[in-house]
Amino acid sequence: MNKHSLKEEKIKNMFDHISHKYDFINHILSFGIDFFWRRRIIHLLDKFNNKKKIQNILDLATGTGDLAILLANRFDDANIIGLDPSENMLKVAQKKIKNNFLEKKIKLIQGYSQHIPFENETFDVVTIAFGIRNFQYIHLSIREIYRILKPLGILVILEFSKPSNYWIRKIFCFYSHFIMNKIGSLLSNNHFAYNYLKESIKSFSYCGKKMNKLLKYHKFNTIYMQKLTFEIASIYLLNK
């Protein structure tokens, strides 16, 4: 097992361990702003889909299923697949899907983004919310996304980014280091998890132009990009 596979396994085990408290801690630490950010994905799909019928959606790194549920509630005729490596996160997602009476619309699969178990040109839309920075084989994963998207299919990525304003960047660094890390560790009883999340945000280098350059290298066309909430997060909307 190489270093990427070892890290991938460690990350999966981390999410398995914190899955039962993940939503609660996440919403506290983001002050609920993550709800707004995910809803922005729905709005942009409405705006840029050009009234084409969306039949199949793949939500990669679906976690506890928040985005998959939003997608199912908005796109009545779509079948949604949520894929994630963490078995325990998917168990939490399945309970939420059942509580929302969406079992017929959303199917969950345990798996990795670098080995998407579907045929070429299967999906109209692929979404990734706060998951791409955890991809250990990012080039393989993006190639897989391109492969399973239909021609002119849409890819939407929501991810943390680095604020360009010096003071906002300093405040965000302070918050993620001293508050997010400490409170997350205390509430989850897992120091590694929230230290990893802090470091993954800090070290993820594919932001803004660099993200667009990466996706252009893999033949995606950028349609729209938007920075959110003082540039703490960004949305990238692209097509094949």
Side-chain angles (χ1 to χ4, degrees):
M1 188 179 284
N2 63 38
K3 67 176 182 178
H4 290 295
S5 297
L6 284 169
K7 187 173 181 182
E8 194 170 55
E9 184 67 16
K10 196 170 185 179
I11 293 168
K12 183 189 83 67
N13 292 337
M14 175 198 79
F15 279 112
D16 277 340
H17 187 264
I18 65 172
S19 59
H20 62 297
K21 293 183 177 178
Y22 181 79
D23 282 342
F24 171 68
I25 297 169
N26 223 28
H27 300 329
I28 285 177
L29 294 178
S30 72
F31 303 105
I33 297 171
D34 58 313
F35 286 115
F36 162 76
W37 290 339
R38 287 187 181 88
R39 287 194 181 97
R40 189 66 186 154
I41 291 176
I42 308 300
H43 172 78
L44 291 175
L45 282 173
D46 276 337
K47 183 177 179 179
F48 288 98
N49 189 48
N50 296 323
K51 297 182 180 178
K52 291 185 296 182
K53 186 176 181 180
I54 295 176
Q55 295 177 311
N56 296 302
I57 302 174
L58 175 63
D59 184 38
L60 283 176
T62 196
T64 60
D66 280 347
L67 182 55
I69 289 167
L70 283 176
L71 290 162
N73 284 326
R74 173 60 189 89
F75 300 104
D76 294 334
D77 299 323
N79 297 306
I80 292 137
I81 305 289
L83 187 145
D84 198 278
S86 169
E87 181 181 0
N88 288 350
M89 294 284 273
L90 292 175
K91 286 178 181 177
V92 175
Q94 190 61 54
K95 287 180 184 177
K96 288 160 70 173
I97 289 163
K98 186 176 181 180
N99 290 340
N100 283 274
F101 307 103
L102 292 169
E103 297 104 314
K104 291 183 179 179
K105 292 196 63 178
I106 305 173
K107 181 180 178 184
L108 300 175
I109 295 175
Q110 187 178 10
Y112 291 93
S113 58
Q114 70 268 24
H115 300 297
I116 300 174
F118 292 96
E119 295 180 0
N120 296 354
E121 300 181 2
T122 298
F123 293 95
D124 302 285
V125 174
V126 173
T127 57
I128 314 167
F130 303 112
I132 196 168
R133 74 180 188 281
N134 296 321
F135 290 177
Q136 296 304 302
Y137 301 90
I138 193 162
H139 289 281
L140 284 175
S141 297
I142 295 170
R143 282 204 290 270
E144 276 287 87
I145 293 166
Y146 189 89
R147 178 184 67 78
I148 55 92
L149 265 178
K150 295 177 182 178
L152 300 178
I154 292 175
L155 168 62
V156 190
I157 298 169
L158 170 62
E159 190 51 87
F160 288 109
S161 52
K162 292 178 173 60
S164 58
N165 182 280
Y166 174 81
W167 292 109
I168 292 174
R169 191 164 65 248
K170 285 292 182 184
I171 291 167
F172 182 61
C173 286
F174 174 83
Y175 176 77
S176 62
H177 183 75
F178 289 102
I179 299 176
M180 183 173 75
N181 189 15
K182 303 297 183 186
I183 294 176
S185 298
L186 181 67
L187 293 176
S188 68
N189 196 28
N190 189 317
H191 174 72
F192 170 77
Y194 283 88
N195 188 61
Y196 164 77
L197 291 172
K198 176 199 73 176
E199 291 299 324
S200 71
I201 295 168
K202 183 180 176 182
S203 63
F204 186 65
S205 62
Y206 292 106
C207 302
K209 291 180 180 178
K210 194 168 181 183
M211 176 72 86
N212 285 324
K213 187 176 179 181
L214 170 70
L215 293 160
K216 186 177 180 181
Y217 175 79
H218 289 284
K219 302 178 184 177
F220 281 98
N221 302 304
T222 301
I223 303 171
Y224 182 81
M225 175 188 165
Q226 183 181 12
K227 296 176 181 179
L228 305 167
T229 317
F230 306 112
E231 302 181 11
I232 290 169
S234 296
I235 287 184
Y236 309 86
L237 192 141
L238 312 102
N239 68 2
K240 179 174 175 177

